[in-house]
Amino acid sequence: EDDIENLERETKRRWPTISLAAGQAKIGLQTIKQAYVAEMMNKRKEEGSAPSLALFRSSDVCSPYVIACNTGNLPAKLVLAALSGIQMLLDFGLVPPDNAPNVIMALRGAATANKSSLGSSLFEVQMKVLQLELQLLNFLATDAEALPNLTESTVNGFLLLALQLANDGSSTSVTSTAFATLKQMINVLMNSVGDLAAAKACLADSE
């Protein structure tokens, strides 16, 4: 919550859209906390395990980070803060699977839209983008509920971003990392083909 408050405060004057989204995200986080505590109490009464954080995924909480990454000429420290926020949400599994295309767009924005304002931080940002891209793909490919969201257009978004950084990276290190990331993503996708077909079959049966 502290990082959202910092983002809200630091963008209030020059980037009000980000600040407003951060304020909405704070409200969303409070709602999530209250719902989680209530669910924990119910689980204790039933002597069950702790509730899955997947129950509390929220696009509102993702929104300020996505908007920040897509905002041109944002200072490097704010772009990196937004990427760290996305990473935190991925670590806790709080990114709604259907929000993946927006996150991919945000990663592309962070890596390309802010080149002029990132300066010496461009390398760090682009490396972070590649790391988060692979993390997001792994999340979609390994989470049973998220897997159906691994659509053709979403897959294309992943691959195009890696290819873009492979061809237009800020250094040879970014280029080589982008090619390595591309190879890893292809392996993940190949391994998930069978699971994806099964998931789509289940959805068809349920309809």
Side-chain angles (χ1 to χ4, degrees), residues 123-163:
F123 169 79
E124 182 180 359
V125 167
Q126 291 185 336
M127 294 292 279
K128 190 75 172 178
V129 163
L130 289 167
Q131 176 190 352
L132 294 180
E133 182 184 18
L134 184 58
Q135 185 176 357
L136 177 60
L137 178 60
N138 274 311
F139 160 63
L140 293 177
T142 57
D143 186 292
E145 294 182 11
L147 189 58
N149 291 275
L150 197 56
T151 62
E152 182 178 351
S153 62
T154 302
V155 169
N156 287 339
F158 279 112
L159 299 179
L160 287 173
L161 176 54
L163 283 171

Side-chain angles (χ1 to χ4, degrees), residues 52-192:
S52 169
L53 288 174
L55 297 171
F56 310 102
R57 291 168 177 161
S58 168
S59 58
D60 283 344
V61 178
C62 295
S63 184
Y65 304 126
V66 169
I67 294 173
C69 287
N70 282 317
T71 300
N73 298 317
L74 203 65
K77 69 173 184 178
L78 295 181
V79 175
L80 288 167
L83 291 174
S84 294
I86 292 173
Q87 183 174 31
M88 178 190 65
L89 295 178
L90 284 171
D91 288 343
F92 287 102
L94 290 176
V95 175
D98 60 359
N99 208 36
N102 292 331
V103 177
I104 297 171
M105 188 181 300
L107 295 178
R108 181 179 292 109
T112 61
N114 290 288
K115 281 187 176 182
S116 60
S117 62
L118 292 177
S120 60
S121 297
L122 180 59
F123 169 79
E124 182 180 359
V125 167
Q126 291 185 336
M127 294 292 279
K128 190 75 172 178
V129 163
L130 289 167
Q131 176 190 352
L132 294 180
E133 182 184 18
L134 184 58
Q135 185 176 357
L136 177 60
L137 178 60
N138 274 311
F139 160 63
L140 293 177
T142 57
D143 186 292
E145 294 182 11
L147 189 58
N149 291 275
L150 197 56
T151 62
E152 182 178 351
S153 62
T154 302
V155 169
N156 287 339
F158 279 112
L159 299 179
L160 287 173
L161 176 54
L163 283 171
Q164 184 175 5
L165 288 176
N167 293 322
D168 193 30
S170 59
S171 69
T172 54
S173 294
V174 171
T175 298
S176 61
T177 302
F179 277 120
T181 301
L182 187 61
K183 182 178 179 180
Q184 288 176 284
M185 288 196 297
I186 291 172
N187 288 335
V188 171
L189 290 169
M190 293 298 291
N191 290 333
S192 66

